[in-house]
Structure formats: C-alpha cells, structure tokens
Amino acid sequence: MKRAIAGCWMAGIAAGWASAALPTAPPAPRSAQTQKLDERRVVPGTRVWLAPPAGHAPGNGYFGYQWADLGASLIVAELRAPSAEMVAGFDAENLAKQGMTLLEATDAKFGQHKGKLIHATQRANGALYEKWLAVFGDEKRTVLITVNLPDALDDELAAQFKAAVLGAVWDPTLQVDPFAVLPWTITQPQGLAFATNIGPTLLFTEDGEPVQKDKPASARLLVGPSAGEAKIADARKFAESRVRKLPGMAGLELESSVEFSAGGRTGWEIVARATDRDSGQELLLHQVLLVGQSDYVLFVGQCAREQRDTWLPRFQACAASWKLKPPPEQK
C-alpha cells in the first residue's frame, strides 16, 4: 500500500485480478433460448450500472455476479489509477504475463467514458475460458469489468455477457457500501474514511485516499478476510509470525501480545513498534486476528508513534466492533 500504483505495473495487477474467480471446471453448455437481459442495476459495492444476464447470484468474495450452473462470472473492480495509463497497459505482453491470449482490443464507449473492450482467452484448471474485459474511467480512477466464460458456452448466451459489459455505465458520484459482499461488518474507525477495497480487503485512511506514499506517518487501517480456507491451530504463533511479515517495516519490536475477542470469535491482539524503512518514521502498529472455523479476519493499523494515544484506542474499538451479519431471510 506504500507505493503509487499506476501504468503497466498496475495493469499487470489488474490483469491478475481479472484472472480471479475462474471455476474449477466449466459445466455443460446451456441453450440461450430462455435467457433475457435484466434491466440495468447498480452492482452492489460499486458505482457501476449494468444488466447481468438472468440466473445470476452475488459474487463469492468479489464485487459482481456468478452463474454457477454456467461456470461464468462477472467481476467489477474500481482502481485508483488514471484510466489512460491502465488502458495502455492492457496489451498483449501484459496479458500474456497473466496467462491470457489477446484476441482483439477495440476502442469503446461506456456511457460518457471512453475506454477499451478486450477479448481474450485463458486456460485455467485444465479448461479454456473466453474473457471480455472493459477498461475505462477518468484521470483519477479506472473501472475494470471482467467476464469469465467457459469456451463451450452457447454463442447466443455468450453474446449476452458481451452486451452486458458494453452496456455498463459508471457513476463516480455514487456512495458505495464497502461491506456489500462481506458476511461481516464493523463500525467505521473514528477519524478514518473508507479509501478503497482490494478485493474483499478494506482500506481506511485519514484523507480517504488509498495512495499514502508521501504520508508515512498518517493513520490507516486495513481489514480483510483470509484468502480462501485457512485453519489456524495456534492464534498467537500465527499472529506474531504475520506481524513480522508486514512490508516496508524495519526494527519491529512487540510491545504486547494478548488474547482478543469480538463478535463471538477469539483471536490475538498485537501492539508493536517499528520504523518505516523508506522514511525512517517511527510507527506504532496494531494487529488483531479473529479466528473462525476455517477462515480468519485480520486488522492491521498503523500511525505515528507519538499519536499512539489518539489512534490505538480507535483501532481497538474498530476491531472490537466486528460482527457477522444476520443470515439472509429465506424467500
């Protein structure tokens, strides 16, 4: 999180995100005769309007939709990087680094925003997938929409997914729910604003901006779930190992390492001191690990060491507010 993210390097990361959510194997193709496009609606957790083909369910750990019976997914990501640089980075070379083969790239317009529509293929889990990617935005942010389709999908139905992407409209003035695809929620930390999501991981900063390269002493908090299944037998051992792996830190020393509980889960809390390797700024670090049966949630906060009395109680209160959402009502 400490480096500016733009250009081809950022495009490579985005291309990697565009490779996510591929099913383990595509099911048998289905006829498109009964498929109809829904009316456009806001994709939960984003500022993008589009009309997903019928039969969709919420994305599993990502903003967008999935079609389990088709083996298809549609993923929406909003990135803090100039769209012109991102569009330029989605070339054959960068896509190939992510295991994709570029078939065609054409200029396109998505509402009032110009961008690129990319057609590619990717082999994953022993199967071939067809992909449609839309890249567009403005001078500050980029929207990336990725459709993953099994190659054997009916052509007429595949055309509906392409139409859904081409019909996308972005409204940067919309307010988003950062917890839209998460099964849990927290009270927003006092003094911090939601900056962005990195997949299902949330970033809060003092000024609401995700890039903090020139502000090493500013307070920030990352909150996110484990990537996939994770069973932790020893919370203390895992937490102490994890905090020592935080990037960009030098001279880390633990101040305290104690049990912590919130929302019916137990885990571990660590308060530590460290130095920002680039600037030499002395920092206070706060990490809370909440362990589930097969997953975990991790809070990582940092601030200038002299602001400890201001931010440490706020980090602790935020972690203590964690709770699972009630199960959705059956209809």
Side-chain angles (χ1 to χ4, degrees), residues 37-232:
L37 287 177
D38 299 329
E39 294 181 357
R40 276 194 302 214
R41 80 280 305 275
V42 176
V43 179
T46 80
R47 301 175 180 86
V48 173
W49 295 73
L50 56 74
H56 55 80
N60 183 17
Y62 55 84
F63 297 111
Y65 304 103
Q66 60 179 328
W67 291 258
D69 59 334
L70 295 177
S73 62
L74 186 154
I75 306 167
V76 177
E78 294 180 74
L79 310 165
R80 294 294 184 103
S83 63
E85 294 183 14
M86 289 289 292
V87 169
F90 272 80
D91 56 18
E93 181 180 357
N94 278 317
L95 290 172
K97 292 177 181 178
Q98 305 299 326
M100 294 184 238
T101 300
L102 177 64
L103 301 179
E104 185 180 16
T106 57
D107 294 332
K109 195 171 183 180
F110 305 87
Q112 299 301 312
H113 297 91
K114 296 179 180 180
K116 190 81 72 175
L117 180 67
I118 296 167
H119 190 200
T121 59
Q122 181 180 26
R123 188 167 294 279
N125 305 312
L128 185 65
Y129 289 86
E130 182 180 11
K131 304 173 75 76
W132 290 100
L133 298 92
V135 192
F136 60 95
D138 58 21
E139 66 278 3
K140 292 184 178 180
R141 288 180 286 185
T142 299
V143 176
L144 172 64
I145 303 174
T146 305
V147 166
N148 299 302
L149 302 173
D151 187 58
L153 195 67
D154 178 274
D155 288 345
E156 184 180 344
L157 185 53
Q160 292 187 14
F161 283 92
K162 178 183 177 182
V165 173
L166 283 171
V169 175
W170 178 51
D171 182 355
T173 67
L174 287 180
Q175 297 296 311
V176 301
D177 175 11
F179 304 99
V181 300
L182 296 171
W184 47 264
T185 186
I186 56 173
T187 300
Q188 184 163 312
Q190 182 184 356
L192 297 183
F194 174 64
T196 191
N197 62 287
I198 309 156
T201 297
L202 311 178
L203 172 64
F204 300 89
T205 62
E206 290 188 62
D207 58 9
E209 293 295 326
V211 179
Q212 301 286 304
K213 177 182 178 182
D214 299 323
K215 295 168 278 189
S218 65
R220 69 203 70 172
L221 177 67
L222 273 169
V223 186
S226 55
E229 185 173 307
K231 294 186 178 181
I232 298 175

Side-chain angles (χ1 to χ4, degrees), residues 294-326:
S294 59
D295 70 330
Y296 65 81
V297 177
L298 192 70
F299 294 71
V300 180
Q302 74 172 64
C303 66
R305 201 175 300 175
E306 62 268 23
Q307 294 185 319
R308 171 198 184 103
D309 292 344
T310 297
W311 291 105
L312 182 56
R314 298 180 183 183
F315 293 152
Q316 291 171 323
C318 179
S321 74
W322 182 91
K323 62 181 179 181
L324 287 169
K325 294 178 181 177

Side-chain angles (χ1 to χ4, degrees), residues 193-278:
F194 174 64
T196 191
N197 62 287
I198 309 156
T201 297
L202 311 178
L203 172 64
F204 300 89
T205 62
E206 290 188 62
D207 58 9
E209 293 295 326
V211 179
Q212 301 286 304
K213 177 182 178 182
D214 299 323
K215 295 168 278 189
S218 65
R220 69 203 70 172
L221 177 67
L222 273 169
V223 186
S226 55
E229 185 173 307
K231 294 186 178 181
I232 298 175
D234 188 329
R236 177 174 184 170
K237 181 178 179 181
F238 182 90
E240 292 184 356
S241 172
R242 180 64 178 76
V243 76
R244 295 184 187 282
K245 296 177 182 177
L246 291 175
M249 301 296 166
L252 188 138
E253 297 180 10
L254 300 187
E255 285 190 5
S256 63
S257 181
V258 298
E259 289 185 353
F260 191 95
S261 299
R265 287 192 176 188
T266 58
W268 212 262
E269 177 191 33
I270 290 175
V271 178
R273 292 174 294 169
T275 301
D276 179 76
R277 186 174 286 117
D278 292 336

